[in-house]
Amino acid sequence: MKELTEAKAAVAERKALAEKIYEEKLNALKEDPVFEEAYRTLARLKFEIARREVYGLDKSEQEKELSEKERFVKRFFSENGMGNGEGPDYFCKKCNDTGYVDGKRCECLEKLRVEIALRNMPSLKEVPASLASINFKFYGERGGIYRKYAAFLQKKFMEGDIRFCTVLGASGTGKTYLATTAAREALEKGRSVSVIKSVKLNKVFLNYHCAPLERKEGIWAEVADPDFLLVDDLGVEALLNNVTVQYLYELITERADKKTLFTTNLDLKNLEDKYGQRIFSRLADKRLGAMILLEGKDYRINGETD
């Protein structure tokens, strides 16, 4: 996603800057004829030693001279703030500002990705970094049940097989807080995340519907591609003919292998009435969907509650 792309670009800039600074310092050192001669001699000796290894010739004399020249050159580097002169002073010593270690994202790249995402989605800054970090005392006597909601989200939705989870409840019940914390946790764990209000999602659908063919893929990718999508306040948007329900269903269908979390003020009946049986059945599917009722005794409508 775009946060990872931006983070990769930032890491690449760090790398280029470190290498530029190193090159500038090295060129300044080469203005000293003594250093320049020693530096050139190093390169010549390394080539000669490699050649002698190939032909099985004695290289002890060259290795001795190489050792002496290396000490001499390293002293120059050290005195000019370049360490041992082994290369640029990269910001990250683990990946040398490549962003990857053994084919996996380096911690430095992940940190930048999260920072950029939090800047782009400021609502995630206002919640804990994980569901387990929520202060459930804030909910008073309902703290215990909210702890269960969070545990369910963590075990069954974040880490389990459930793909769609809908958090229902009246305004002020804390559903957005709970859902946003889940999104923050997904981000912190390396997933691409998008948080969008249902009104804006409706505009995305309309833009997609009206866009020329060559632009449709980019518009759709905004909501279809993220590993984790949070749609907040489902139900407050206007229903646009041939747009809202149609594309919401297509989105849910396409995201069957990803995680999608909805919050809504609608109750179960109004949710089904507004979006129809096809969408409702997908969201309430016993295998892939679940619903958390913040005002009810059960936090799933499809059976399991522990």
Side-chain angles (χ1 to χ4, degrees):
M1 297 302 291
K2 60 183 179 180
E3 289 83 9
L4 180 58
T5 301
E6 289 182 41
K8 286 180 178 179
V11 169
E13 287 181 10
R14 285 177 177 175
K15 187 175 188 293
L17 179 59
E19 291 172 351
K20 179 183 178 182
I21 292 173
Y22 177 81
E23 190 66 25
E24 289 175 348
K25 289 183 177 180
L26 180 60
N27 289 336
L29 283 181
K30 287 181 179 179
E31 293 179 3
D32 186 321
V34 177
F35 174 83
E36 172 69 7
E37 175 60 27
Y39 193 76
R40 286 182 177 272
T41 301
L42 270 182
R44 178 181 59 78
L45 286 170
K46 289 177 180 179
F47 176 81
E48 178 62 18
I49 289 171
R51 187 186 71 82
R52 286 176 172 270
E53 285 180 346
V54 171
Y55 291 101
L57 301 175
D58 179 68
K59 58 184 187 303
S60 57
E61 183 179 338
Q62 287 76 16
E63 288 178 335
K64 179 180 179 182
E65 185 180 359
L66 178 67
S67 180
E68 292 173 354
K69 290 296 182 182
E70 283 180 335
R71 287 197 296 271
F72 179 79
V73 168
K74 284 181 179 180
R75 188 173 72 250
F76 258 85
F77 281 128
S78 179
E79 290 173 353
N80 287 273
M82 297 178 67
N84 290 327
E86 295 177 349
D89 183 20
Y90 293 114
F91 179 85
C92 179
K93 312 305 180 190
K94 291 182 178 180
C95 70
N96 287 338
D97 291 345
T98 63
Y100 288 84
V101 178
D102 297 330
K104 297 180 180 180
R105 292 180 201 167
C106 183
E107 292 177 4
C108 70
L109 179 61
E110 271 299 286
K111 182 178 179 181
L112 272 175
R113 185 188 68 85
V114 171
E115 289 176 355
I116 292 169
L118 292 179
R119 187 166 65 242
N120 293 339
M121 296 178 285
S123 63
L124 298 187
K125 286 184 178 181
E126 302 171 1
V127 297
S130 68
L131 290 162
S133 300
I134 294 176
N135 179 9
F136 295 101
K137 292 181 180 179
F138 173 80
Y139 296 101
E141 62 181 16
R142 293 186 57 80
I145 189 64
Y146 273 81
R147 189 184 298 276
K148 283 189 176 183
Y149 299 153
F152 173 80
L153 276 173
Q154 175 70 54
K155 182 179 179 182
K156 302 294 184 179
F157 178 64
M158 303 288 287
E159 299 175 358
D161 294 332
I162 289 175
R163 296 291 184 264
F164 306 103
C165 187
T166 307
V167 184
L168 305 94
S171 298
T173 54
K175 58 185 180 298
T176 296
Y177 182 81
L178 198 64
T180 306
T181 302
R184 172 72 181 271
E185 180 168 337
L187 175 68
E188 298 283 352
K189 290 185 174 180
R191 296 177 181 177
S192 57
V193 171
S194 181
V195 177
I196 189 169
K197 292 285 187 180
S198 65
V199 172
K200 184 178 179 181
L201 178 63
N202 211 25
K203 291 180 180 179
V204 172
F205 290 158
L206 183 60
N207 288 340
Y208 176 81
H209 184 74
C210 299
L213 186 62
E214 64 271 15
R215 290 190 57 235
K216 284 184 179 292
E217 183 177 354
I219 295 173
W220 189 252
E222 180 183 345
V223 291
D225 287 359
D227 300 325
F228 187 106
L229 174 66
L230 168 58
V231 179
D232 194 27
D233 279 339
L234 185 68
V236 300
E237 78 286 354
L239 288 183
L240 304 176
N241 290 336
N242 301 317
V243 173
T244 306
V245 174
Q246 175 182 331
Y247 291 123
L248 180 59
Y249 179 77
E250 289 186 20
L251 180 65
I252 291 172
T253 300
E254 187 167 332
R255 291 188 55 81
D257 60 343
K258 298 180 174 69
K259 302 289 185 177
T260 309
L261 183 58
F262 297 93
T263 70
T264 181
N265 291 342
L266 300 178
D267 59 25
L268 297 177
K269 183 179 185 304
N270 288 331
L271 187 65
E272 183 174 7
D273 288 345
K274 181 161 188 173
Y275 297 104
Q277 178 59 33
R278 285 200 311 169
I279 289 177
F280 184 81
S281 63
R282 284 294 182 105
L283 299 182
D285 181 270
K286 291 185 177 181
R287 297 176 299 105
L288 299 178
M291 294 189 176
I292 295 177
L293 311 175
L294 295 192
E295 290 296 289
K297 295 181 180 180
D298 297 329
Y299 59 94
R300 287 190 72 183
I301 65 169
N302 55 352
E304 187 175 12
T305 58
D306 55 11

